[in-house]
Amino acid sequence: MALFFARMLYPHTDPADLRDEYQFGTLDLTDVLPDPIAQFERWFNEAVAYPVPEPTAMHLATVGEHGLPSGRMVLLKGLSPEGFVFYTNYESRKGHHLGQSPHCALTFFWQPLERQVRIEGLAQRLSAQESQAYYQSRPRGSQIGAWASPQSQPIADRAELERRIRETEARFENQSTLEVPPFWGGYRVIPRMLEFWQGRPSRLHDRIVYERTDTGWALSRLAP
């Protein structure tokens, strides 16, 4: 009986039956800017203005243990001609991965605009000054959390995390300004490839790729 009601509440859905016909826009070589960071900024600003929920959300893929891939969502916190910035605990799983291999990939998916951007490159740590400046801009609760959470490490339960938060708050209660933890900071992903994807009908999507060369960026169109 319980299984019957579970099936009534959560009917089986075959993923193969779920289809969207993308027809929001088009993309051609004549549409894009010669610089991929400028082109990304154009699309990003359009995603913010639309508005797309969580436009800064990006999937970060790293090279894990034994060369196996590992992925998770992080948030874009900086963009410059040099690359894409995010922050994390250096002792987290992704921090260890990037310490072993700087090769990584980012993916943005802005579903309402039927757009995706893929980025491949190398991650480099930001300077201590850059990390400190961003850390100071965060809400105090987030600053405390960075000190208190042993990111990616096993903990007994939520109560243990909350206890660590209380202890950290007590530790810094007389300090109006917190120093950035030595195990926390930013990375800049320096791209070597960026691909801009626009969904099109019948899965015949538009794909424009930029690849870094010795003389600049080479553009080409890819088959869907």
Side-chain angles (χ1 to χ4, degrees):
M1 184 63 69
L3 181 59
F4 170 79
F5 283 112
R7 287 175 174 168
M8 291 289 290
L9 291 171
Y10 306 105
H12 172 71
T13 300
D14 187 343
D17 293 335
L18 301 177
R19 298 181 184 277
D20 284 327
E21 190 72 350
Y22 298 136
Q23 47 192 346
F24 187 90
T26 64
L27 183 66
D28 194 75
L29 285 171
T30 59
D31 300 326
V32 298
L33 300 172
D35 178 80
I37 302 298
Q39 176 62 34
F40 178 89
E41 189 169 21
R42 169 192 281 179
W43 268 24
F44 177 76
N45 289 336
E46 291 174 0
V48 172
Y50 189 75
V52 171
E54 289 285 12
T56 64
M58 58 187 185
H59 180 267
L60 167 66
T62 54
V63 181
E65 293 80 4
H66 311 295
L68 299 176
S70 180
R72 78 290 290 158
M73 301 302 294
V74 298
L75 298 179
L76 177 70
K77 289 299 180 182
L79 177 65
S80 72
E82 288 72 41
F84 302 79
V85 171
F86 68 94
Y87 293 85
T88 190
N89 187 315
Y90 292 141
E91 297 177 1
S92 66
R93 194 160 184 249
K94 58 184 169 295
H96 284 296
H97 290 173
L98 293 173
Q100 296 165 4
S101 171
H103 294 279
C104 63
L106 304 172
T107 304
F108 293 83
F109 182 53
W110 298 316
Q111 190 277 335
L113 297 176
E114 300 171 358
R115 288 174 175 176
Q116 172 183 271
V117 182
R118 294 195 312 110
I119 300 150
E120 297 176 0
L122 299 176
Q124 293 183 355
R125 282 196 188 189
L126 299 183
S127 68
Q129 292 77 13
E130 289 175 288
S131 292
Q132 178 70 28
Y134 173 71
Y135 181 79
Q136 294 297 342
S137 75
R138 306 179 86 203
R140 187 175 178 86
S142 298
Q143 295 181 30
I144 292 290
W147 275 102
S149 174
Q151 192 174 17
S152 299
Q153 301 304 310
I155 57 174
D157 49 29
R158 180 76 186 188
E160 179 184 344
L161 179 61
E162 292 172 350
R163 174 184 58 79
R164 294 176 66 97
I165 293 291
R166 290 193 299 271
E167 291 174 350
T168 306
E169 288 174 336
R171 174 184 173 187
F172 294 117
E173 64 179 343
N174 295 321
Q175 293 183 221
S176 59
T177 301
L178 277 62
E179 290 295 319
V180 64
F183 49 81
W184 189 96
Y187 290 93
R188 177 176 289 108
V189 177
I190 301 171
R192 64 171 183 79
M193 186 282 294
L194 297 93
E195 180 194 314
F196 294 81
W197 178 99
Q198 178 71 59
R200 296 294 304 277
S202 302
R203 297 299 186 262
L204 298 175
H205 310 304
D206 290 332
R207 300 171 63 192
I208 303 297
V209 65
Y210 295 75
E211 295 181 278
R212 192 186 294 273
T213 70
D214 292 338
T215 57
W217 292 96
L219 279 75
S220 59
R221 184 182 180 96
L222 301 180

